[in-house]
Amino acid sequence: MAEPTDLTPADTDATARSRSLADLPRWELFLALSMVTIGLIARLWPRGPLWLDEALSVNIARVPFDELGAALKQDGHPPLYYALLHLWTNLAGTSTAAVRALSVFLSFAAFPLVWIVARRAGGTRVALWSVAVWAVLPYGVRYGTETRMYVLMMVLVLAGWWFLERLWTEPRWPDAVALALIASALLWTHYWSMWLLAAVGLATLLRWWLNRTEAQALRELLLTGGALGVAGLSFLPWVPTLLFQSQRTGTPWGGVERPTTAVVITIIEFAGRASAEPQLMTYALVLLVVIALVGHRRGGDKWALVLAGPVRHGALWALGLAAATLLIGSTIAMVGGATFVSRYAAVIYPIAVVLIGWGLASCPPRLRGTLAAVVLAGSLVGVALEVSMPRSISGVAADVIAADAPDALVVTCPDQLSVALSRELDDGQEIVSYPDLGSDPRFVDWVDYEERIDDADPATVAAEVWRLADGRPVVLGSADTYVTHRTACPAFLRALSDGHETRDLLVTTGDDAFGDPDLGWYAARHVHETLHSLDSVWAEIDTHIEMVPLGEFVAAHDRDGGR
């Protein structure tokens, strides 16, 4: 963010500023625009079926508008993205491409926002490289094509950053009104926005204290603080639902992480999946953030870089906001027993992108080209992994069921598997889920989730499945890697198969789907009554056995030498 006393939109740091794109070397433009082109293509590349969270988002968004609050009460999110997706699907439909197109559109809309925010912060060269980084980093590519609210968070953060910086340089009430509206939208989009807004509030207080002798310091405090306060007031109607969700839903599907672990997870995931090349790129990304803070050229040397003061105050404020948001949120999650997953860091991802772009722009020319090539190479590997691996194998599972057991009753354990699978099954294929066979398989009720799993009796549920099957075969889609079902699903499988013949229809390794690896462990079993099989076997044997008198059998035995 800009420092009013020593940093203005016309930053005097010559290593990070150029008045126009025409002033930049051709190689720099070519490399940056190549990265942008790759990022655009990657966002349009076809993907596989929706995975659990995407399918669940669509199903919730498709409930009647006046029932959206009730549906989300048992899910654990605020409603803005789902309301937007509801309107979008009314116009575009609910096909896989249509529902993902909303995120692609928002991701494309973020490109000019990155440009204007980064240009104000550090100049044209910073803007160019920030847009290039936004285009190719695998984290942005993934969530820019996923039917979830995270790219909407990014767009709102970028817009809010623009108005916040204006308030921090020349505070005016129209900018405060705009910031209030954007901050409110963030709160109604995802709960991790609370931690970003808390960090902004703390930073605003700190800035007032540091600049309290200046004439506009109090005005900046009042306008920025007022905008945050109005946003908080606008969120009050949803607070009872938030409190219910925090007490009754939570995050039973994940474990508690320490704040330091959250930081490491975030850095790695920004670079891509947990594979060698993207992880190696994280070292370059961290270095570039450091360069954004204190990196300077040494004279006209095209390689030499000095990591020393003066500190770029705009970059320092930005890094402080990102770090404070991550540490506040992950600490509160740890204390409250909630989990942390890297997608929550979407709220600080735009800040990281601009800092990385700022670092590239601050490098000497040859070092800039080298580090940009490293970022591009690592991102290419991460993006290739992203686009080549499906996010769900529900389409494959549905094809197997249609081919081998079209008349079967399908049951899933855990119930989370039924959400994406039910979307891919043929019309008329009945599907139920453990433990509540009467629940809608398109949804997951997270209210008191662990307690309901623990209270269920696998044998009782299995007996009810066979009653519902009514002589039909049963196909079981199961996974024992879900934290809440590590004992429940194996016990249910044993109960369901007890006294029945079983055979595998589909066995996966855990590496067959992108995203949540639990979806990879997807065992589909075709189970039917052993009694019916034995009856047919004995009938076949009976037609081929000739009854031989005992005396003839003994004589034949003696002639054969006792063989």
Side-chain angles (χ1 to χ4, degrees):
M1 305 299 174
E3 174 69 18
T5 58
D6 60 3
L7 187 68
T8 67
D11 193 339
T12 58
D13 188 345
T15 65
R17 178 161 301 277
S18 179
R19 289 188 178 274
S20 70
L21 288 175
D23 296 329
L24 301 180
R26 290 183 179 180
W27 70 263
E28 194 168 354
L29 290 172
F30 175 78
L31 182 55
L33 293 178
S34 296
M35 295 168 71
V36 171
T37 302
I38 292 170
L40 294 174
I41 293 173
R43 284 165 171 80
L44 296 173
W45 201 268
R47 305 296 202 277
L50 304 183
W51 73 290
L52 164 63
D53 283 11
E54 290 183 288
L56 188 56
S57 294
V58 175
N59 294 342
I60 292 174
R62 293 310 303 158
V63 303
F65 212 81
D66 58 351
E67 297 177 16
L68 198 56
L72 286 168
K73 191 173 184 178
Q74 67 182 32
D75 179 70
H77 290 96
L80 181 59
Y81 171 76
Y82 298 90
L84 183 60
L85 185 59
H86 180 96
L87 298 175
W88 178 271
T89 51
N90 281 346
L91 296 173
T94 58
S95 69
T96 298
V99 297
R100 284 181 175 155
L102 174 59
S103 293
V104 174
F105 172 78
L106 291 171
S107 182
F108 282 2
F111 277 80
L113 287 176
V114 172
W115 175 273
I116 64 173
V117 167
R119 192 177 190 283
R120 179 178 178 85
T124 302
R125 177 171 273 143
V126 174
L128 175 67
W129 286 108
S130 296
V131 169
V133 171
W134 172 266
V136 298
L137 278 192
Y139 186 93
V141 172
R142 176 183 176 183
Y143 291 108
T145 58
E146 189 165 287
T147 311
R148 298 287 283 153
M149 73 286 294
Y150 300 107
V151 71
L152 176 60
M153 292 172 63
M154 298 176 195
V155 169
L156 291 172
V157 167
L158 286 166
W161 189 353
W162 168 259
F163 289 104
L164 177 63
E165 185 157 346
R166 288 168 61 91
L167 282 170
W168 280 5
T169 54
E170 189 178 352
R172 297 182 300 178
W173 71 264
D175 295 323
V177 171
L179 180 62
L181 292 173
I182 293 167
S184 175
L186 274 167
L187 289 172
W188 286 88
T189 299
H190 198 280
Y191 295 135
W192 261 71
S193 301
M194 293 188 294
W195 317 135
L196 173 63
L197 299 182
V200 171
L202 292 173
T204 301
L205 285 172
L206 178 59
R207 288 175 59 84
W208 170 78
W209 175 257
L210 294 175
N211 302 320
R212 61 189 181 278
T213 59
E214 297 187 11
Q216 68 177 21
L218 183 59
R219 181 177 176 83
E220 176 187 315
L221 174 66
L222 293 177
L223 287 178
T224 307
L228 298 177
V230 169
L233 290 174
S234 74
F235 192 61
L236 286 178
W238 189 257
V239 169
T241 301
L242 166 62
L243 295 176
F244 176 88
Q245 291 169 334
S246 64
Q247 295 169 1
R248 303 288 297 278
T249 61
T251 56
W253 39 264
V256 177
E257 304 288 359
R258 300 189 307 276
T260 49
T261 304
V263 171
V264 173
I265 291 173
T266 297
I267 295 172
I268 292 175
E269 290 289 328
F270 280 177
R273 295 184 64 224
S275 57
E277 294 84 358
Q279 290 191 49
L280 286 173
M281 185 178 64
T282 61
Y283 296 103
L285 299 184
V286 172
L287 174 60
L288 286 168
V289 172
V290 174
I291 294 173
L293 292 173
V294 294
H296 303 278
R297 289 179 60 179
R298 187 170 62 191
D301 196 311
K302 295 184 178 181
W303 282 101
L305 177 72
V306 178
L307 298 178
V311 175
R312 293 184 181 86
H313 289 83
L316 182 61
W317 282 110
L319 180 60
L321 286 178
T325 300
L326 190 57
L327 292 176
I328 291 171
S330 59
T331 300
I332 291 176
M334 180 184 68
V335 173
T339 193
F340 171 83
V341 286
S342 62
R343 54 184 177 264
Y344 297 165
V347 74
I348 64 170
Y349 179 70
I351 300 175
V353 165
V354 173
L355 286 172
I356 294 166
W358 207 333
L360 285 170
S362 301
C363 289
R366 292 182 181 175
L367 182 60
R368 181 186 310 131
T370 301
L371 289 176
V374 170
V375 172
L376 175 58
S379 296
L380 282 174
V381 175
V383 169
L385 292 171
E386 150 66 21
V387 301
S388 63
M389 181 171 288
R391 297 173 182 175
S392 170
I393 60 167
S394 56
V396 175
D399 289 342
V400 170
I401 292 171
D404 292 354
D407 61 336
L409 171 65
V410 179
V411 58
T412 64
C413 183
D415 52 354
Q416 298 166 53
L417 296 176
S418 68
V419 179
L421 181 58
S422 62
R423 179 180 170 87
E424 302 299 324
L425 290 174
D426 292 340
D427 292 340
Q429 183 94 52
E430 186 178 2
I431 180 171
V432 295
S433 57
Y434 181 93
D436 185 1
L437 303 181
S439 63
D440 191 330
R442 299 173 301 158
F443 301 94
V444 177
D445 183 358
W446 294 109
V447 177
D448 302 328
Y449 192 74
E450 290 181 283
E451 291 83 353
R452 289 189 290 110
I453 300 301
D454 293 340
D455 291 343
D457 177 32
T460 301
V461 178
E464 180 63 13
V465 167
W466 284 115
R467 188 191 69 79
L468 291 174
D470 192 24
R472 292 175 293 166
V474 171
V475 170
L476 170 64
S478 67
D480 60 6
T481 55
Y482 285 69
V483 173
T484 51
H485 291 74
R486 283 178 177 162
T487 58
C489 285
F492 176 61
L493 188 152
R494 290 192 297 270
L496 191 66
S497 60
D498 185 27
H500 300 272
E501 181 186 354
T502 68
R503 62 185 177 90
D504 291 333
L505 292 180
L506 179 65
V507 178
T508 61
T509 65
D511 295 323
D512 302 292
F514 186 84
D516 187 343
D518 290 339
L519 292 177
W521 298 99
Y522 202 134
R525 300 179 181 276
H526 184 181
V527 185
H528 58 82
E529 293 285 0
T530 303
L531 179 60
H532 295 172
S533 297
L534 290 177
D535 286 345
S536 62
V537 169
W538 282 115
E540 182 72 14
I541 292 174
D542 190 52
T543 61
H544 291 87
I545 293 179
E546 180 181 356
M547 300 303 293
V548 180
L550 180 60
E552 295 182 13
F553 174 79
V554 172
H557 181 270
D558 291 340
R559 286 195 304 271
D560 292 338
R563 292 192 299 273

